[in-house]
Amino acid sequence: MTAGETSRAGGEVRIVRASATFDCGGRCPLRLHVKDNRIVRVEGDDAPEPDQLRTCLRCRAYRQMVHHPERLMYPQKRIGAKGEGKFARISWDEALETLAGELKRVKETHGPESIFLATGGGYLAGLHNPGLAAARLLNQFGGFTTHYGNISSEGAVWASLTTYGSVMVGHSRDDLMNSKLIILWGWDPARMISGTNTMYHLVRAKENGAKVISIDPRYHDTAVVLADEWIPIRPGTDTAVMAAMAQVMIRENLHDQAFLDKYTVGFDKFADYVLGREDGLEKTPAWAAEISGVAAETIERLAREYAATKPAALMDCQGPARSAMGEQYNRCAATLCAMTGNVGRPGGSAGGGLMGIPVAHMFRMPGIPPGKNPVEMKGPKIKGTLDIRDRVVMRVHINKIFDAILEGKKGGYPADIKLVWSMCNNYLNQTGNSNKAARALKKLEYLAVNELFMTPQARYADLLLPVTSAAERSDLTRPWPSGPYYIFINRALEPLGECKSDLDIAAELAERLGIKDFKPFSDEEYLRMFMDQDPEMAAQIKDFEKFKKEGVHRVRLPEPIVAFKEQIDEIEKNPFPTPSGKIEIYSQRVADMNHPLCPPIPKYMRTPEDRFDPLAEKYPLQLLTPHPKNRVHSELYKVEWLREVEPHRVWINPVDAEARGVRNGDEVYVFNDRGRVAITAWVTERIIPGVVCIFEGAWYSPDQNGVDRGACANTLTNDAYSGGGASVLNTALVQVEKA
Ligand SMILES: Nc1nc2c(c(=O)[nH]1)N[C@H]1C(S)=C(S)[C@@H](COP(=O)(O)OP(=O)(O)OC[C@H]3O[C@@H](n4cnc5c(=O)[nH]c(N)nc54)[C@H](O)[C@@H]3O)O[C@H]1N2
Ligand SMILES: Nc1nc2c(c(=O)[nH]1)N[C@H]1C(S)=C(S)[C@@H](COP(=O)(O)OP(=O)(O)OC[C@H]3O[C@@H](n4cnc5c(=O)[nH]c(N)nc54)[C@H](O)[C@@H]3O)O[C@H]1N2
Ligand SMILES: [Mo]
């Protein structure tokens, strides 16, 4: 059907070019068929090969989310106990008056630092970006406290900055066609999206003859589809295996010494560690086998194959790095990429775990800048990620938000938090230790939540403000830095119910707080301005109306983008953005930090709640909590079509299941000292013995006995962070028993 045609049921159907704004790494161009202010059908990109950006399963179910019967449609205030979920409808007038009053009260009684702004990645577009709007409002109001640290990837960010001085360490995905060997090291892009067409390019690379090896505790979907070999590994032990691969390469002289001499510093110190000259312990394959469960012969073979096959792409990512020593895995992966001379080469890779392409400045999110935060301007400056410990002074680590609410200044946090204004996140559900988070939310004086759904966090609110979905707004967006394309979201629907965008909520609140001219322009005027003022976008997109009509602007790349190609082609002219100008296998900056958990060269180190922790006697299983294919974190949880895709289950190996009398489909408890979840068991050899897996994002839903019937992974995880700032969401010991 094309625009203007009549549908079978009669009535005009419009086709609107738009996109969802999820935090998934991709961005599907969508054609929304709209009739009577309802999306009646969703179609994807209609560009021919090879341009077509393939639509994901989540976007195909988009209309069930937008029109879900449980969408919040009007403002509400709490009438029951905190967390009980009892609310009464109120007017926008009352809602905004109350929130304005609470903000003033808390600022006057406790100071602006007692106001905490909790934002997240739920809406990744520029104009209506909730965090930007609220930060701008609160800055003008007197300031606020907030969090620092990327919950997704702080380990990888730290590793990339340490090693390369840049976070743009990826290649455009079409460059996979140039690889002869692709190692998926903790990377499963069939499920998570590292750029909309990543799987398409991986399949083409495979057809082109590339060998694909997957190293993961799970035999995941990408491995099922593509891998020639699956190398199962125990969680948190990748760095040991990588160090042993380096040992094999050095012993057999397989590494690229000329490359190391020219482009890196500190390889000798890493070699001292690997060969045991530093600590008397040689990092042999036998040593790594004992730790990781990967056979010594496999490690040797892998080292030889990776060193000999050129070019080869070692693709490490962020999942294994979201753990107690996570950054070491990305640091060591980058070191192997340098040892094999694969950095800056087509078909190679730089490691570092982030995969952002170095033209990402083209894909900066346009938006209204939030200005300066008076609360932060008072205190010590927040420095770069490398100085992570100093940053704690004025902000709260993202995995410590709830601990900060509970402990306040006495606990070493920058403020006694009294009021939280939350939007675009569901951190009760999505950061470590949900039971503790629930206690913290009960302790608050006031919690206001802008939301589309009654999420677990929204249940604890004193005030609920209903927000529009991306289908109800016009905006500009783009994928994560993997592109390369821009998207114009045309508004498909009039706002449903009484919903408003966060920007419009902030603007109305501004009036009540005496802040003038908060949103002087219309949406359309703003979007035009963003495009004109962004030099890269203005250079790309000449015709605003055409872009709007087509909904997508594809950036033509003359050739695949390769991170650090300039440096490798001509290091004299183009040094790496590190202090030494080279790839820092040894980092003096890290050495100067003198942090016991941040060695200046990558190292395997033991951690709390690893397999050797005495706690393993009580809780012998390691818990993995990867991202769900049928949701984006906790978003889309209510969508029935997507629930059918994959029931929420705990993966458990037959060896572990039998030892506990558990059969496939049984109800089980998974538990540790932090909490207990009830969930169905999936007994499968797709996960190794000693490890269980619960996908993150299922909604926390404790019963009267404190058993989480929703089986949220974070009921079991820890609210700690690593030396480099990674949230330790993949380091938790648990036990399983039949329910
Ligand atoms: N469908 C969907 N896509 C998403 C998201 C989503 O929620 N849903 N979320 C998006 C976001 S915000 C992010 S940050 C990215 C996250 O993307 P990633 O960080 O890549 O994803 P994860 O699912 O956490 O983990 C990736 C893989 O690491 C493996 N793994 C875990 N621990 C270890 C280990 O110690 N060693 C090894 N070798 N492997 C290990 C897991 O089994 C999993 O297969 O995904 C994005 N894409
Ligand atoms: N155990 C475990 N936990 C994890 C992870 C893991 O690997 N394991 N991964 C972590 C990662 S990488 C991430 S990025 C985080 C994600 O953590 P969150 O950002 O908290 O996750 P979401 O579930 O995406 O929550 C986004 C919320 O924003 C709402 N929303 C959407 N659009 C809008 C809007 O326009 N305005 C407002 N006000 N709200 C909106 C959605 O309804 C949803 O409730 O989760 C982390 N949690
Ligand atoms: Mo993330």
Side-chain angles (χ1 to χ4, degrees):
M1 192 154 57
T2 54
E5 275 184 40
T6 4
S7 73
R8 238 176 292 157
E12 182 101 336
V13 174
R14 284 183 305 127
I15 296 180
V16 183
R17 296 207 177 237
S19 169
T21 46
F22 300 128
D23 181 19
C24 61
R27 197 60 72 230
C28 303
L30 301 177
R31 286 174 293 153
L32 305 178
H33 294 233
V34 177
K35 194 190 146 200
D36 301 333
N37 213 37
R38 273 191 90 77
I39 303 168
V40 292
R41 186 174 172 205
V42 176
E43 281 187 298
D45 190 15
D46 51 355
E49 293 286 338
D51 282 347
Q52 191 181 107
L53 294 155
R54 279 148 167 78
T55 311
C56 73
L57 69 157
R58 295 166 297 281
C59 279
R60 288 194 184 278
Y62 189 48
R63 72 185 169 98
Q64 269 208 350
M65 188 211 98
V66 172
H67 296 292
H68 199 280
E70 292 182 36
R71 272 277 306 271
L72 300 175
M73 285 293 154
Y74 40 78
Q76 300 178 61
K77 70 174 180 196
R78 176 172 66 84
I79 50 170
K82 281 181 189 263
E84 198 187 344
K86 283 202 182 135
F87 292 88
R89 179 174 186 169
I90 55 173
S91 67
W92 267 110
D93 225 30
E94 182 182 344
L96 293 168
E97 224 19 71
T98 313
L99 181 52
E102 285 297 319
L103 287 167
K104 283 185 208 154
R105 179 185 68 76
V106 172
K107 183 172 92 170
E108 275 151 29
T109 350
H110 307 287
E113 62 276 11
S114 290
I115 297 171
F116 191 91
L117 175 60
T119 63
Y123 181 82
L124 292 186
L127 175 61
H128 290 281
N129 189 291
L132 273 184
R136 184 160 62 95
L137 177 75
L138 292 180
N139 282 341
Q140 292 182 41
F141 179 65
F144 59 95
T145 304
T146 192
H147 45 83
Y148 77 91
N150 188 321
I151 190 143
S152 314
S153 56
E154 200 65 24
V157 167
W158 192 90
S160 293
L161 288 178
T162 305
T163 313
Y164 293 112
S166 165
V167 292
M168 294 305 165
V169 294
H171 296 203
S172 55
R173 309 294 179 254
D174 51 350
D175 185 52
L176 289 163
M177 275 302 266
N178 296 319
S179 303
K180 294 215 172 66
L181 170 68
I182 299 169
I183 304 177
L184 313 171
W185 202 314
W187 189 42
D188 177 19
R191 178 179 45 87
M192 67 78 80
I193 306 292
S194 298
T196 307
N197 268 6
T198 299
M199 262 320 262
Y200 169 78
H201 291 297
L202 267 173
V203 169
R204 287 189 58 217
K206 170 88 180 179
E207 285 167 1
N208 196 37
K211 181 172 177 183
V212 179
I213 297 175
S214 166
I215 305 176
D216 205 293
R218 300 181 312 117
Y219 185 45
H220 53 58
D221 291 0
T222 317
V224 169
V225 176
L226 288 178
D228 294 283
E229 184 180 5
W230 170 39
I231 301 178
I233 187 168
R234 290 187 187 121
T237 67
D238 306 273
T239 313
V241 171
M242 290 175 183
M245 284 169 69
Q247 191 265 2
V248 174
M249 289 185 205
I250 298 169
R251 200 181 57 204
E252 301 182 6
N253 200 21
L254 306 173
H255 58 298
D256 189 339
Q257 190 64 49
F259 186 97
L260 291 168
D261 291 343
K262 188 165 178 196
Y263 299 110
T264 71
V265 291
F267 176 67
D268 50 334
K269 296 208 173 62
F270 180 67
D272 285 348
Y273 163 71
V274 161
L275 298 176
R277 291 195 290 248
E278 186 197 288
D279 57 0
L281 176 69
E282 191 161 5
K283 310 305 174 301
T284 61
W287 165 82
E290 187 61 34
I291 294 166
S292 65
V294 182
E297 309 79 72
T298 308
I299 298 174
E300 274 179 12
R301 177 168 53 78
L302 184 65
R304 292 184 191 125
E305 188 166 4
Y306 176 52
T309 316
K310 302 233 156 107
L314 193 169
M315 306 297 280
D316 57 323
C317 199
Q318 301 145 31
R322 221 172 282 115
S323 66
M325 285 295 292
E327 53 277 356
Q328 299 307 316
Y329 142 85
N330 297 124
R331 281 270 277 148
C332 212
T335 302
L336 288 184
C337 295
M339 284 180 72
T340 51
N342 275 301
V343 179
R345 300 258 158 86
S349 70
L354 287 166
M355 299 187 188
I357 57 177
V359 286
H361 58 274
M362 285 204 303
F363 309 107
R364 211 173 22 222
M365 194 79 78
I368 315 172
K372 290 213 162 94
N373 181 344
V375 166
E376 287 177 3
M377 280 157 69
K378 275 190 298 196
K381 289 254 178 327
I382 295 162
K383 297 187 192 163
T385 305
L386 282 176
D387 309 296
I388 203 117
R389 286 161 309 137
D390 298 340
R391 303 207 304 175
V392 183
V393 178
M394 287 316 295
R395 288 197 182 190
V396 176
H397 187 275
I398 186 149
N399 209 24
K400 284 288 184 193
I401 295 174
F402 298 102
D403 197 55
I405 294 172
L406 288 171
E407 304 299 331
K409 281 186 181 159
K410 277 202 202 104
Y413 293 101
D416 291 321
I417 299 164
K418 304 289 179 187
L419 179 154
V420 172
W421 187 15
S422 163
M423 57 202 66
C424 245
N425 74 82
N426 186 12
Y427 289 146
L428 160 66
N429 212 80
Q430 293 304 116
T431 62
N433 200 341
S434 299
N435 284 327
K436 186 191 214 181
R439 286 199 299 280
L441 288 178
K442 280 191 185 150
K443 189 191 164 208
L444 284 174
E445 283 183 13
Y446 202 72
L447 172 64
V449 177
N450 298 14
E451 252 301 346
L452 286 87
F453 285 92
M454 183 70 80
T455 62
Q457 180 152 296
R459 282 179 73 87
Y460 286 82
D462 296 282
L463 182 70
L464 280 172
L465 302 177
V467 302
T468 46
S469 69
E472 297 146 73
R473 310 163 172 183
S474 289
D475 219 326
L476 277 171
T477 182
R478 42 92 176 125
W480 284 0
S482 58
Y485 57 96
Y486 299 98
I487 290 226
F488 193 100
I489 302 175
N490 287 285
R491 190 167 87 162
L493 307 173
E494 291 296 318
L496 300 178
E498 294 184 7
C499 294
K500 294 179 194 286
S501 89
D502 304 82
L503 174 61
D504 293 333
I505 294 172
E508 292 188 26
L509 209 51
E511 276 174 33
R512 288 179 156 82
L513 295 172
I515 295 163
K516 302 251 174 316
D517 280 341
F518 192 77
K519 196 195 166 201
F521 304 107
S522 71
D523 287 10
E524 173 107 3
E525 284 166 338
Y526 270 119
L527 295 174
R528 246 176 215 278
M529 264 186 314
F530 294 161
M531 282 186 42
D532 292 344
Q533 287 165 8
D534 186 304
E536 287 86 17
M537 220 194 279
Q540 277 290 332
I541 306 170
K542 303 288 180 209
D543 185 342
F544 181 81
E545 291 305 326
K546 181 166 176 275
F547 175 41
K548 224 180 125 179
K549 186 160 167 273
E550 293 178 353
V552 49
H553 175 88
R554 290 163 231 265
V555 176
R556 302 281 159 202
L557 298 174
E559 56 186 22
I561 294 169
V562 172
F564 307 121
K565 187 166 182 310
E566 283 169 19
Q567 282 80 2
I568 299 306
D569 285 352
E570 216 173 350
I571 183 89
E572 299 76 15
K573 264 204 191 148
N574 308 311
F576 283 87
T578 52
S580 64
K582 299 206 172 174
I583 301 170
E584 300 203 343
I585 294 173
Y586 175 90
S587 165
Q588 190 57 48
R589 280 183 296 177
V590 176
D592 294 343
M593 280 170 58
N594 202 16
H595 187 309
L597 298 179
C598 292
I601 51 163
K603 279 186 179 174
Y604 166 76
M605 287 160 80
R606 288 237 4 241
T607 75
E609 299 201 44
D610 69 4
R611 201 169 55 94
F612 308 106
D613 189 322
L615 192 67
E617 277 179 34
K618 204 167 158 200
Y619 302 123
L621 302 168
Q622 291 179 281
L623 174 70
L624 288 185
T625 63
H627 293 215
K629 92 171 136 206
N630 54 347
R631 292 187 296 273
V632 181
H633 313 296
S634 71
E635 275 194 276
L636 299 162
Y637 177 73
K638 289 279 175 177
V639 173
E640 286 76 7
W641 286 343
L642 291 173
R643 287 183 171 210
E644 276 181 34
V645 169
E646 190 163 80
H648 188 53
R649 295 177 298 195
V650 55
W651 296 32
I652 183 167
N653 186 277
V655 171
D656 295 320
E658 266 162 41
R660 291 163 179 78
V662 169
R663 287 199 303 215
N664 193 34
D666 282 353
E667 281 300 300
V668 296
Y669 292 127
V670 185
F671 59 99
N672 59 21
D673 289 340
R674 288 178 290 266
R676 175 177 287 258
V677 309
I679 189 169
T680 308
W682 185 37
V683 179
T684 172
E685 287 182 345
R686 286 180 61 181
I687 191 159
I688 59 171
V691 182
V692 292
C693 166
I694 299 177
F695 288 118
E696 56 109 319
W699 284 16
Y700 173 72
S701 164
D703 65 15
Q704 307 90 310
N705 304 317
V707 176
D708 176 7
R709 295 280 154 193
C712 171
N714 287 321
T715 298
L716 302 164
T717 61
N718 194 0
D719 63 337
Y721 58 92
S722 74
S727 297
V728 304
L729 302 170
N730 278 317
T731 311
L733 290 174
V734 296
Q735 179 57 296
V736 172
E737 69 184 21
K738 261 187 92 155

